[in-house]
Amino acid sequence: MDSANPDSPRPNRPQPSGPRSSRKHTPKVNTKGLYQRAIKDAFVKLNPRQMIKNPVMFLVLVGTIITLLVTIDPNLFGASQGQNPRRFNGLITVILFFTVVFANFAEAVAEGRGKAQADALRSTKSDTIARKILPDGSIAEVSSTTLHQGDRVKVIAGDLIPADGEVIAGVASVDESAITGESAPVLKETGSDVASSVTGGTRIISDELTIKITSDPGKGFIDRMIALVEGAERSKTPNEIALTVLLAVLTLVFVFVIVTLPAIANYANSPVSVAVLIALLVALIPTTIGGLLSAIGIAGMDRVAQFNVIATSGRAVEACGDINTLVLDKTGTITLGNRLAEEFIPVNNHSMTEIATVALAASVFDDTPEGKSIVRLAEKLGANVDFDRSKAEGIEFSAKTRMSGTNLPDGREARKGAVDAIKGFVRSRSVGGAHSRSGEITPELDTAYERVSNLGGTPLAVALNGNIYGIIYLKDIVKPGIKERFDQLRRMGVRTIMLTGDNSITASVIAGEAGVDDFIAEATPEDKIAVIQREQAQGKLVAMTGDGTNDAPALAQANVGVAMNTGTQAAKEAANMVDLDSDPTKLIDIVVIGKQLLITRGALTTFSIANDIAKYFAIIPVIFTSANLQSLNVMGLASTNSVVLSALIYNALIIPALIPLALTGVKFRPLTANQLLQRNILIYGLGGVVAPFIAIKVIDVVITAVGLA
Amino acid sequence: MKRINLLNWVSQLKLVEGVSFVWFEWRRQQLPLAIFLLLCLNLIIAPVVYAASSGTLERRSAWAIGILGLVTLGLVIYLFDVIFRPERY
């Protein structure tokens, strides 16, 4: 939010150190015993009430029961054919049963990982004793679980913050490592846009705060994330619902095919038993994606949580994959947040020492990285503070004045800020002012301003009363590798728009250097919402980050709004994701996770349907040998029984074989939609057709050799 | 031998309450109701299957095929429900 202003001081925001990969799983997730629990859960999930939620696997379960009946009595539906039908039917029953169990196992593993993640998140929440401030001002010690929205609590050094809230009084350092993994304490104070909200479970390590609770018990950010990653109350996302309908339609079509098949088979003089019909049905319906669908979704939520991002709904994570436009702040997202003073450019015949001295005077109370870098550069050039600091008054930056500075003890006013703002300041002081001097706003000033802007830097003018001393060149450094990331996004069809409060020359230079598709210079926070609405009007999905109260409407308007954890409660409430690391660049990572989720789902759906086609052409010629389809048995499969068993064994084994892919996701490649489609059709489509033929042939040879069929 | 007044015995059982209890439980637990309806429907279907088989099927198999047909019909209805009301699943 502050980046909308050219010299906005972004408060020191400690970023988690080290590469992001090393910060994954913070807090640490305990996956011990995950697979043992998943095996147990796979059997618990055989409960028909749970199975009915997955139409494909429910059908397999019903088929298993029917084949179990024909195993007990092979003549149940008429005289049985072939030798030892009981053993054949029994084998089909066992394979079908394990197909269902494997599918349940995939879901249980994903849920288990989510539950482990939830347990880790839950460990940050503990029932603590809170000092609740009663209406009469007295303090009562209550359990943190009894706190409600609007309650006020007092926390002192050493206390755990009992619930999410907004600081209403005090200044204190807070250790947020429990949720962010970052050990450096964060300063929290009232009235600040970026440091006034606190999260339950974090610990205050110095001083004391008065906090107004902003969430009811069980409805905080961590609670919502726990519910999401646990998957217990997980509702299907729109894409999952669409895919469920597709799978149900395919299943229905194949049910009709199988129901009508006995009549054709009898006409072709190749009667087919009920067990074979059920085996054929299971081989044809998309069991692979049916068994892995929920695992893919749960794993997607898990990946977001691993990136220290709290998503309030699965819909938001999925929407990331469909994002067309990214609206990004310049400062902190595209450029390194801490702009540093690179050079002083004196104007109006002032010397370098003079401008350094005035710049130092204007910055002694400025604690922002920019202010400190100005002080360092001025001192390097030999400038000294020639007044009593205790008698001077620091003037803080504000979005309205767009400048900051110092009122010196002798009544003089040293200021630094946006060039336009300083020009205005000088004019106001020149009107009949004793310090006014003609010729301050000279073409020389504009030349220096343009020179700095053309370098992509932020020009700050420096003035003492009615006299402009020159320009400070604040160097803005584009983050390394950001251009390549924007190139990747462009190839994926994602458009990037940079918003900055800088002038249009600086903005265009940075935009060119970073490789963004579009930029809006001298932007106000209101411009963000206008940009989002304009893009949405064109049917695009927009993602943005923000941290201030004035970002809240835009965060709510965006399809994916990512609020920084250091941001205000209003921003966090409006957004559908909260980044615990408060790293604006992570928006790009979140988009990649969303796309990976959709690509994984698409790839496995393609593979599953391609598998079904292959199995169909492997089984049908062998079943209908009497109808002279033997010539289509190109693989020379041994018999009806062997091909049915081979197809079912492959069908069952491919589910656990694909669990790792479902959980980790298909490797993300920054390609266009067409390139991705071609690649996926080649790998998962063609691969999905070829793999079953090879696998079925191998299994057929083995089971024939061991005499199973 | 103790004489039992049948009318009193029935009234003691609170027949109406009993029927309403069964009806209430059927509404809560639909599986027994579904099985009961399935068997009732099969009273019509199984003889038709048996007649159509011209004696090639045993009576027992005709009943099983009838039930299998009804289960298949139930699955088709279920799949249509998934298609039209997917958010429920």
Side-chain angles (χ1 to χ4, degrees), chain A residues 26-27 29 111 113-122 124-125 164 179 199 218-234 297-314 316-317 576-580 590 593:
Chain A
T26 47
V29 173
E111 280 181 1
R113 282 161 57 118
K115 277 176 186 161
Q117 186 84 35
D119 288 343
L121 285 168
R122 202 175 275 119
T124 66
K125 287 170 58 66
D164 295 351
I179 55 167
T199 310
K219 290 183 180 170
F221 290 107
I222 304 285
D223 297 296
R224 280 193 266 173
M225 190 62 186
I226 288 169
L228 192 68
V229 294
E230 260 186 334
E233 301 295 324
R234 204 175 75 90
I298 295 167
M301 304 302 138
D302 190 36
R303 274 199 294 279
V304 170
Q306 283 178 17
F307 265 76
N308 265 4
V309 174
I310 289 178
T312 51
S313 71
V317 178
N576 40 25
M577 288 192 195
V578 178
D579 177 19
L580 296 176
I590 298 168
I593 291 174

Side-chain angles (χ1 to χ4, degrees), chain A residues 81 88 261 265 268-273 276-277 280 613-647 692-693 696-697 700-701 703-704 709:
Chain A
Q81 300 145 358
F88 176 65
L261 204 60
N269 204 23
S270 295
V272 187
S273 70
V276 169
L277 284 174
L280 186 59
I613 295 166
K615 282 179 276 184
Y616 178 81
F617 284 106
I619 297 172
I620 288 290
V622 186
I623 291 180
F624 288 104
T625 44
S626 306
N628 292 325
L629 290 181
Q630 186 62 29
S631 56
L632 290 176
N633 183 12
V634 287
M635 293 189 296
L637 298 170
S639 65
T640 304
N641 287 6
S642 75
V643 72
V644 165
L645 290 178
S646 304
F693 277 115
I696 288 170
K697 177 63 185 173
D700 181 76
V701 170
I703 62 175
T704 309

Side-chain angles (χ1 to χ4, degrees), chain A residues 52-53 55 58-59 66 73 75-78 236 241 245 248-249 251-252 259, chain B residues 57 60-61 64-65 68 71-72 75-76 78-80 82-83 86-89:
Chain A
I52 206 161
K53 293 187 182 299
F58 181 68
L59 225 70
I66 296 168
D73 181 2
N75 298 319
L76 184 64
F77 298 109
K236 281 187 174 166
I241 289 175
V245 171
V249 169
T251 306
L252 189 61
V259 165
Chain B
L57 279 178
R60 189 173 66 103
S61 297
I65 289 169
L68 183 63
V71 168
T72 309
L75 286 174
V76 168
Y78 158 69
L79 287 171
F80 270 115
V82 174
I83 292 164
E87 64 285 345
R88 287 189 66 203
Y89 297 89

Side-chain angles (χ1 to χ4, degrees), chain A residues 491-511:
Chain A
R491 283 203 294 276
M492 287 152 52
V494 178
R495 190 162 166 264
T496 46
I497 299 176
M498 180 183 83
L499 284 181
T500 174
D502 283 336
N503 63 68
S504 57
I505 304 171
T506 304
S508 66
V509 172
I510 295 287

Side-chain angles (χ1 to χ4, degrees), chain A residues 227-396:
Chain A
L228 192 68
V229 294
E230 260 186 334
E233 301 295 324
R234 204 175 75 90
S235 57
K236 281 187 174 166
T237 60
N239 276 341
E240 277 180 318
I241 289 175
L243 197 51
T244 302
V245 171
L246 174 71
L247 297 184
V249 169
L250 284 174
T251 306
L252 189 61
V253 168
F254 287 122
V255 167
F256 284 131
V257 168
I258 297 300
V259 165
T260 53
L261 204 60
I264 299 165
N266 286 335
Y267 179 75
N269 204 23
S270 295
V272 187
S273 70
V274 169
V276 169
L277 284 174
I278 289 168
L280 186 59
L281 174 66
V282 172
L284 291 181
I285 60 176
T287 45
T288 312
I289 186 65
L292 296 172
L293 184 59
S294 54
I296 296 167
I298 295 167
M301 304 302 138
D302 190 36
R303 274 199 294 279
V304 170
Q306 283 178 17
F307 265 76
N308 265 4
V309 174
I310 289 178
T312 51
S313 71
R315 181 187 289 254
V317 178
E318 207 174 73
C320 288
D322 291 323
I323 288 298
N324 306 104
T325 305
L326 280 183
V327 177
L328 302 162
D329 275 343
K330 187 197 80 173
T331 309
T333 308
I334 294 170
T335 61
L336 295 170
N338 302 343
R339 292 173 293 186
L340 302 177
E342 178 78 5
E343 186 187 349
F344 293 138
I345 306 168
V347 297
N348 298 339
N349 297 321
H350 288 294
S351 69
M352 187 62 85
T353 312
E354 281 179 313
I355 185 177
T357 305
V358 176
L360 177 64
S363 306
V364 284
F365 292 106
D366 188 346
D367 285 332
T368 63
E370 290 93 338
K372 286 176 181 170
S373 74
I374 292 169
V375 170
R376 273 198 304 274
L377 182 62
E379 286 174 346
K380 196 176 158 189
L381 292 169
N384 290 308
V385 178
D386 55 359
F387 56 89
D388 184 357
R389 286 182 61 163
S390 62
K391 290 179 180 170
E393 183 195 358
I395 304 297
E396 280 195 17

